Amino acid sequence: MKTLKALFRLGEVVIVNVLLAMCVLTAHALSCDGDGPCRCTYSDGSGTVDISSVGLQNGQPRFKDEYSYDRSIYSYNPCFAVSIGSCQDSAICKKVGSDYVTMGSQAGVKWSYTGYYPMATYTTSENRRTEVLMMCDKSYTEPRIDVVGELNPGILSINMFTNCACPNVCKRVDPISTENGGLSTGSILLIIFFVTLIVYVVSGAAFNYHRNQKVGKEMLPNYNFWSLVPGLILEGFRWFSALICQRRNSQYEAK
């Protein structure tokens, strides 16, 4: 009987160890493959984590001057670069005195999977590093961060709680274009002028044709007035030219 119980216990231990080994192997096999600083996709096809809607695109950090447990001050903006003082084009800035230093750049972000949540690692050329654990919590429609601090010098740890850390929850937000591809004020005014002119001519011609039974050039609205405009412009030009010539002759005679 004791032998049988011992065998049962041994079997339970073996099963538990096998299950644990399978969980460990599954965790190690699963990855979240990065696609830039804004998103990663799970290798098992379960979806994409997209934090692009969390970050701001106005040059300011989403999380400004957050305190860590050791009372150091950090600012963090997911996905899009920010600049604060000497901390230029960065993802995370640390306040040192009255200035800021970078703790990680958006460029070259590395994504990984910890076994529970994805993690984004930001690095700098000065060998500083920030690890942001993306905590999937669908109740956090407004994200928040918990700045753990630098457990080791130069290695900052942050936990971000957001529903966007859950796969296929938040939609992709593309960067706002900074190229000067919009219309200038002059272009807009020209478009308004020509559209108004076309509407004026077409509607006026249609009215004269149907209401006043006019045809040909007389269909044009206010034809008598507009027919005089070229002559008036020419006459004004001649008058202005004669005035300039008269002034020049007067100056020459005065000499």
Side-chain angles (χ1 to χ4, degrees):
M1 194 70 175
K2 292 183 179 180
T3 304
L4 188 60
K5 288 183 178 180
L7 289 174
F8 274 120
R9 288 181 180 177
L10 179 61
E12 289 176 356
V13 171
V14 170
I15 291 173
V16 169
N17 286 330
V18 168
L19 291 175
L20 287 175
M22 289 176 64
C23 290
V24 172
L25 289 173
T26 302
H28 283 290
L30 183 61
S31 63
C32 200
D33 302 321
D35 178 18
C38 303
R39 61 195 59 85
C40 71
T41 302
Y42 282 109
S43 59
D44 64 353
S46 57
T48 297
V49 172
D50 195 315
I51 60 171
S52 57
S53 61
V54 180
L56 301 180
Q57 297 194 53
N58 60 0
Q60 296 298 314
R62 176 64 183 262
F63 307 100
K64 172 74 171 176
D65 291 344
E66 298 278 347
Y67 283 88
S68 65
Y69 291 116
D70 61 0
R71 307 304 295 171
S72 296
I73 300 175
Y74 301 88
S75 297
Y76 171 49
N77 194 55
C79 192
F80 305 106
V82 295
S83 296
I84 313 174
S86 299
C87 180
Q88 295 291 309
D89 297 324
S90 300
I92 304 100
C93 298
K94 178 181 181 180
K95 191 171 185 179
V96 179
S98 59
D99 202 3
Y100 290 82
V101 297
T102 180
M103 290 297 295
S105 170
Q106 297 285 5
V109 176
K110 293 183 178 179
W111 290 85
S112 58
Y113 181 68
T114 63
Y116 297 97
Y117 302 110
M119 184 170 68
T121 301
Y122 307 83
T123 57
T124 71
S125 57
E126 293 83 11
N127 293 324
R128 290 190 289 270
R129 184 170 84 239
T130 298
E131 298 173 343
V132 180
L133 190 63
M134 306 295 173
M135 311 284 284
C136 168
D137 191 330
K138 293 184 179 180
S139 66
Y140 280 93
T141 55
E142 286 295 324
R144 76 169 183 86
I145 63 170
D146 181 15
V147 183
V148 179
E150 297 181 46
L151 302 179
N152 294 309
I155 303 177
L156 174 63
S157 181
I158 297 176
N159 296 327
M160 184 170 74
F161 300 85
T162 173
N163 62 335
C164 292
C166 305
N168 297 336
V169 172
C170 295
K171 294 182 179 180
R172 178 189 184 112
V173 175
D174 292 320
I176 298 173
S177 176
T178 56
E179 296 180 359
N180 188 20
L183 293 175
S184 64
T185 303
S187 299
I188 294 174
L189 291 176
L190 284 174
I191 291 173
I192 293 174
F193 170 76
F194 283 110
V195 169
T196 304
L197 179 63
I198 292 171
V199 172
Y200 168 74
V201 172
V202 172
S203 60
F207 178 82
N208 286 333
Y209 176 77
H210 292 285
R211 190 68 176 268
N212 299 326
Q213 303 299 315
K214 293 182 179 181
V215 294
K217 60 185 180 182
E218 292 186 353
M219 290 173 54
L220 296 176
N222 300 310
Y223 171 75
N224 292 332
F225 169 76
W226 292 113
S227 62
L228 295 175
V229 169
L232 293 173
I233 294 175
L234 182 60
E235 185 178 344
F237 178 76
R238 288 174 178 172
W239 176 84
F240 185 75
S241 299
L243 181 63
I244 297 296
C245 292
Q246 185 179 357
R247 286 185 177 180
R248 286 182 178 177
N249 291 334
S250 298
Q251 291 176 355
Y252 180 77
E253 291 175 358
K255 292 181 179 179

